[in-house]
Amino acid sequence: MSLDLLSIKKKKRILLLLVVLGGILSLVSCTRATYPFRESHAVLELKIENKKYDHLSLFTHVKNSLGYDNGLEIPGKSADGFKWTFLVPDSVNQVVEGYYVRTQPFDYQRNEEKTLTFSAGKVSDRTSNMILLRDKTTSIRGSYTHQISNTHPGMGFLLVDTFIMNPTITCDVIDLKLDNKKCKSELEIALSYPCFDDTARYTLSERLDVIRKYPYSTYLLGAMPSFLNVSDRKTLRVLFNSFSDEIRNSQQGQDISNLINVEIEPVSVDTLKLMGAEGNLPESVIRTHSKYTLIIFSASWCSPCHKQIPLLKEVYNDFGSRLDMVYISTDQEKEEKYWNRMLENEEIPWRSLFARDYRKGLLQYYSIGGIPYSLLVHPDGTTESIDIRKQSDRSRLYKLLNEGSRI
């Protein structure tokens, strides 16, 4: 074979390689992703049959050793505005809790978040905007039905490294057609079994049946910590062992396994001292037994907790001299700065303490499955749960305090 022929073939190979590389680089440029093009990905295919979008992106927070970073936004790619494709790096997908779909970046001037939220018609009594990517390819198809836009006074949430108060959240509601016999995505499982972490909603038998039906579901696995304070360890192990080997051996599965198998020492507020928000010396949760103490378990990231602040202020204004109110924040130490910022923005007049190392013990001792949660401590030391958001509970609290003032 002549040298000229070898030279021609070699040039052809180089040219072909350049074309392939050019195509790959073009794809990376089009999606504006910041991850290496050689990394393997999970693929989300999202098709909205009756509404065209100019922009859709997946947004998530990525945890690191210092807390949350600046967040990650993964732009979608679409040729027609109806069918969108998102490439999510495996290195990201393995460490985040989930994604939601933005229809535009957060508008700081209007203080507005625009997203998609998904419903399942009459199958579900709620909507869900969280997408979990379990498989290498996840396909979601739905139809736009209507838009919901609400301003949430008193509500706050953590957006990247900024604490947003009183946001307007505008959601395009996308209705999914679910197959009742078999859900194909984590989103469909979430919509078919809403509030799976609600400890009062499903019996043990029902919960076990659902897990055995979808043993690969990270959505169902994520509900496990909610059962820690209301189920014995043996029951928890039965539920956990019903998941697939892959799920149990995942990082999330190992974290939950550690929670299940590590015994937590219950902690009572009777003589407990916690560090205050001011960062000074620890102080007693119960300062006096001469009057009632209302303990409110809360956190910076908990939207329902922020929404009940106006109700708590009403109670404080009516009974501040006869009722000792105190926050116990369940935030992790890296999140405490956001809690302090909320106290300042909301001008909270009652005391605030951090649970820190006693968080799990407190939650277990009082069987607290979720926050906000309020505990009323009577002068004689007895306790009862008071949900300040319920009119019946507020009436009970007011009756007790009014009767106490006449003693």
Side-chain angles (χ1 to χ4, degrees):
M1 187 178 293
S2 67
L3 292 176
D4 289 341
L5 184 57
L6 285 171
S7 178
I8 292 172
K9 287 188 175 183
K10 186 175 182 181
K11 288 179 181 179
K12 284 183 177 180
R13 291 194 189 99
I14 295 173
L15 181 60
L16 178 61
L17 179 60
L18 290 174
V19 170
V20 171
L21 288 174
I24 295 174
L25 291 172
S26 175
L27 175 62
V28 174
S29 176
C30 289
T31 58
R32 301 199 302 276
T34 58
Y35 37 80
F37 65 85
R38 290 182 180 177
E39 184 175 0
S40 58
H41 301 81
V43 179
L44 170 64
E45 297 174 346
L46 174 61
K47 184 175 182 179
I48 303 170
E49 297 173 346
N50 57 339
K51 184 166 183 178
K52 183 177 181 179
Y53 288 93
D54 296 325
H55 170 89
L56 289 180
S57 62
L58 293 182
F59 187 81
T60 189
H61 294 280
V62 180
K63 294 181 180 179
N64 56 36
S65 60
L66 299 178
Y68 289 111
D69 69 357
N70 290 328
L72 178 66
E73 190 151 7
I74 303 174
K77 183 179 180 181
S78 177
D80 59 7
F82 295 97
K83 185 175 181 180
W84 291 79
T85 301
F86 304 86
L87 301 180
V88 181
D90 287 345
S91 59
V92 173
N93 201 32
Q94 291 168 0
V95 297
V96 303
E97 296 177 356
Y99 313 83
Y100 65 93
V101 183
R102 279 179 167 176
T103 59
Q104 70 172 40
F106 188 86
D107 189 333
Y108 286 91
Q109 290 186 336
R110 296 167 60 93
N111 202 31
E112 184 178 28
E113 176 91 308
K114 286 191 173 183
T115 67
L116 298 183
T117 191
F118 301 90
S119 69
K122 296 181 180 180
V123 175
S124 171
D125 61 357
R126 73 161 189 168
T127 58
S128 176
N129 63 356
M130 185 62 67
I131 294 178
L132 305 176
L133 301 180
R134 182 189 71 242
D135 302 317
K136 291 302 293 182
T137 300
T138 299
S139 297
I140 298 173
R141 179 182 298 230
S143 300
Y144 170 83
T145 58
H146 61 287
Q147 188 178 85
I148 301 174
S149 185
N150 291 312
T151 300
H152 300 266
M155 173 182 170
F157 67 91
L158 183 60
L159 180 67
V160 189
D161 58 353
T162 303
F163 195 81
I164 304 297
M165 290 299 300
N166 308 322
T168 296
I169 301 178
T170 300
C171 298
D172 285 357
V173 180
I174 309 299
D175 187 49
L176 304 186
K177 303 299 186 291
L178 298 187
D179 180 351
N180 292 333
K181 294 182 180 180
K182 186 175 182 180
C183 300
K184 297 179 180 178
S185 70
E186 293 284 3
L187 178 60
E188 292 174 322
I189 296 174
L191 290 172
S192 296
Y193 301 95
C195 305
F196 193 73
D197 57 354
D198 186 342
T199 55
R201 183 157 186 157
Y202 297 90
T203 66
L204 173 62
S205 177
E206 290 171 337
R207 193 171 287 123
L208 190 58
D209 287 344
V210 175
I211 292 174
R212 286 173 174 170
K213 188 176 181 180
Y214 302 106
Y216 48 77
S217 174
T218 52
Y219 163 73
L220 299 179
L221 180 69
M224 288 292 294
S226 300
F227 312 146
L228 287 170
N229 303 314
V230 294
S231 300
D232 59 76
R233 291 296 192 261
K234 183 178 179 180
T235 299
L236 290 172
R237 292 187 186 103
V238 171
L239 292 174
F240 182 72
N241 290 333
S242 297
F243 287 98
S244 67
D245 290 342
E246 182 181 1
I247 288 293
R248 293 201 309 272
N249 293 327
S250 67
Q251 184 59 56
Q252 183 184 14
Q254 290 300 304
D255 291 342
I256 291 175
S257 178
N258 292 335
L259 288 175
I260 292 174
N261 292 298
V262 174
E263 294 294 335
I264 301 171
E265 185 68 28
V267 177
S268 168
V269 297
D270 293 340
T271 59
L272 182 63
K273 290 187 177 183
L274 298 175
M275 189 68 70
E278 299 294 330
N280 299 319
L281 295 175
E283 59 180 271
S284 298
V285 176
I286 308 297
R287 292 192 300 187
T288 176
H289 285 290
S290 64
K291 56 184 176 181
Y292 288 90
T293 300
L294 183 65
I295 303 171
I296 308 106
F297 291 88
S298 185
S300 65
W301 45 264
C302 171
S303 295
C305 298
H306 295 295
K307 291 178 71 174
Q308 74 169 1
I309 288 176
L311 295 174
L312 292 172
K313 285 186 174 181
E314 285 183 20
V315 174
Y316 182 84
N317 291 334
D318 291 338
F319 297 101
S321 61
R322 285 176 273 163
L323 175 69
D324 188 15
M325 292 176 60
V326 56
Y327 262 143
I328 292 185
S329 168
T330 61
D331 283 291
Q332 297 183 36
E333 286 195 52
K334 62 187 178 184
E335 298 166 337
E336 289 177 1
K337 60 182 178 181
Y338 302 114
W339 175 259
N340 287 330
R341 193 179 303 171
M342 183 276 294
L343 295 178
E344 182 179 354
N345 291 339
E346 289 292 332
E347 299 180 343
I348 301 299
W350 53 87
R351 294 187 297 143
S352 180
L353 307 173
F354 291 116
R356 293 188 179 172
D357 294 340
Y358 298 99
R359 180 172 62 90
K360 293 179 181 178
L362 283 167
L363 297 180
Q364 177 170 308
Y365 188 87
Y366 294 103
S367 299
I368 301 173
I371 57 174
Y373 181 91
S374 296
L375 185 72
L376 182 65
V377 182
H378 294 239
D380 63 2
T382 60
T383 62
E384 66 176 293
S385 172
I386 292 286
D387 189 342
I388 206 70
R389 297 165 296 178
K390 295 181 179 178
Q391 181 60 52
S392 59
D393 282 22
R394 289 204 305 278
S395 298
R396 161 116 178 117
L397 176 63
Y398 272 60
K399 181 181 179 181
L400 289 170
L401 295 173
N402 281 322
E403 289 176 348
S405 67
R406 294 194 292 269
I407 297 177

